Amino acid sequence: ITTAVWQGEVLSPEIITEIRMPTAYLLGGQKCGSTSIFDNLEHWPAEQLCSGKTIGNEAFFFKKEKHFFDHFTTTADVMKNVEMYSKHYERCDRNSVLIDGTPNYLCDTSIPKVMREVYEKLNLDPYSLKFVAIFRSPVTRAVSNYEHGVRNSWSGYINKTWENIVEEGFSGWEKRLSVTKDGELPQTYCTPLEASLYAVQIKHWMQHFKPSQFLFMSFQQLKQDPQGIMDAIATHLGLPQKTEFSRLTKANVGVYDAPHVAEDVLDFFKPHNEELFAFKTNHSECFYDPEDNKFRFEKDLTTQ
């Protein structure tokens, strides 16, 4: 696979015209049901919605998750490798919605600025993009994230207890806050605790894109009415409606005994939850929130 012709920060015009970039992103969050949503989106034919192909020796999950903007972390590095990224979508119909479903894009808050700059450099309108994100109870998500890492023997989870992860999470967040300048948002990264700080993440994305580009929902809503969720996503992405989602498609399900969650973990997330629901009040147009299936988290952990 060749990389793009590089001339300072400008791709050659010949290559720019051939670049195929996503028009939609399923941002995550991790362990919130995004894979279930993606599997449902695969019901649309490729001429309407296309997730592209894997290339080279990529793992099977690259069909959903391209892990591009979380791998090349600067605008310059992304531009040097954007032709490679484009090859995932080279067989997609020109009129199809092209989608990348990498859940790390939500929790790594360095990404939105880079993504906007890259689309501008490619002479593509960043404000025509559509984004979908799903959330769940922050504590439940963090525990699920931890158990998933242990189950798959990820390096950062080997021989670590839930209590170890919590201690690291508290310490990491304190360090993040200590280097954040007045008037700026702290960065978040895809660690178990920080990946559940949805309000901070949303605000980073809103600094670079418009509220009308986003559709937010909760896992609780998806469980109650998968058809309603898929109808809303189809409308948001400009796809025709489909009536075949009466049951939740389960994916990446793990069986484990949930660890004890100490009160300090609940207290850690409480102000962030309050901030999220305050944001929802001020930007209700971004949220899926019908009267019969309101935006909410699991009742035992929510701070609504």
Side-chain angles (χ1 to χ4, degrees), residues 38-250:
F38 182 85
D39 289 346
N40 283 346
L41 287 171
E42 291 282 86
H43 287 235
W44 272 266
E47 61 267 21
Q48 295 175 351
L49 184 139
C50 184
S51 59
K53 62 178 182 177
T54 58
I55 55 178
N57 60 352
E58 290 177 341
F60 72 94
F61 60 80
F62 272 72
K63 181 74 165 61
K64 169 185 178 256
E65 308 173 14
K66 305 300 187 286
H67 289 280
F68 182 65
F69 286 97
D70 58 331
H71 181 73
F72 299 105
T73 56
T74 68
T75 301
D77 283 343
V78 168
M79 291 298 291
K80 288 177 183 178
N81 294 278
V82 73
E83 187 186 11
M84 174 185 68
Y85 183 50
S86 173
K87 288 184 180 293
H88 290 100
Y89 302 99
E90 62 185 3
R91 296 179 184 173
C92 294
D93 190 282
R94 283 282 177 183
N95 296 317
S96 178
V97 174
L98 309 186
I99 192 164
D100 181 346
T102 306
N104 300 46
Y105 291 173
L106 179 66
C107 49
D108 184 345
T109 52
S110 66
I111 288 175
K113 177 178 182 291
V114 172
M115 184 181 290
R116 176 182 56 79
E117 291 176 347
V118 166
Y119 274 76
E120 290 173 342
K121 288 181 179 295
L122 293 173
N123 297 326
L124 299 172
D125 181 11
Y127 305 111
S128 66
L129 294 173
K130 297 295 184 181
F131 302 102
V132 175
I134 183 168
F135 313 124
R136 71 190 296 188
S137 160
V139 175
T140 306
R141 195 222 64 79
V143 170
S144 180
N145 192 162
Y146 162 71
E147 295 290 350
H148 187 77
V150 170
R151 192 166 61 249
N152 289 279
S153 299
W154 291 350
S155 60
Y157 298 81
I158 296 174
N159 297 325
K160 287 186 179 178
T161 66
W162 165 248
E163 288 73 21
N164 296 149
I165 293 294
V166 169
E167 184 179 352
E168 290 177 0
F170 286 169
S171 175
W173 186 240
E174 285 299 320
K175 291 178 181 177
R176 203 88 66 230
L177 293 177
S178 70
V179 298
T180 301
K181 297 179 181 178
D182 290 344
E184 294 185 356
L185 291 170
Q187 296 287 337
T188 71
Y189 297 94
C190 300
T191 60
L193 265 61
E194 289 185 26
S196 290
L197 302 182
Y198 311 128
V200 178
Q201 296 158 8
I202 287 174
K203 289 181 179 180
H204 273 279
W205 281 92
M206 293 294 171
Q207 286 184 332
H208 300 281
F209 299 94
K210 299 176 181 179
S212 60
Q213 295 177 254
F214 294 86
L215 177 64
F216 302 130
M217 64 207 64
S218 74
F219 182 63
Q220 196 75 359
Q221 291 175 297
L222 177 63
K223 287 199 298 183
Q224 177 177 321
D225 185 12
Q227 183 65 57
I229 287 288
M230 296 311 300
D231 287 347
I233 292 173
T235 298
H236 186 62
L237 299 183
L239 297 170
Q241 302 290 309
K242 282 188 173 291
T243 57
E244 51 195 75
F245 306 111
S246 59
R247 294 183 179 181
L248 174 65
T249 301
K250 296 182 179 181

Side-chain angles (χ1 to χ4, degrees), residues 292-303:
D292 60 348
N293 191 13
K294 301 295 287 183
F295 180 87
R296 67 202 186 281
F297 295 146
E298 293 87 334
K299 289 184 178 180
D300 58 329
L301 296 176
T302 186
T303 61

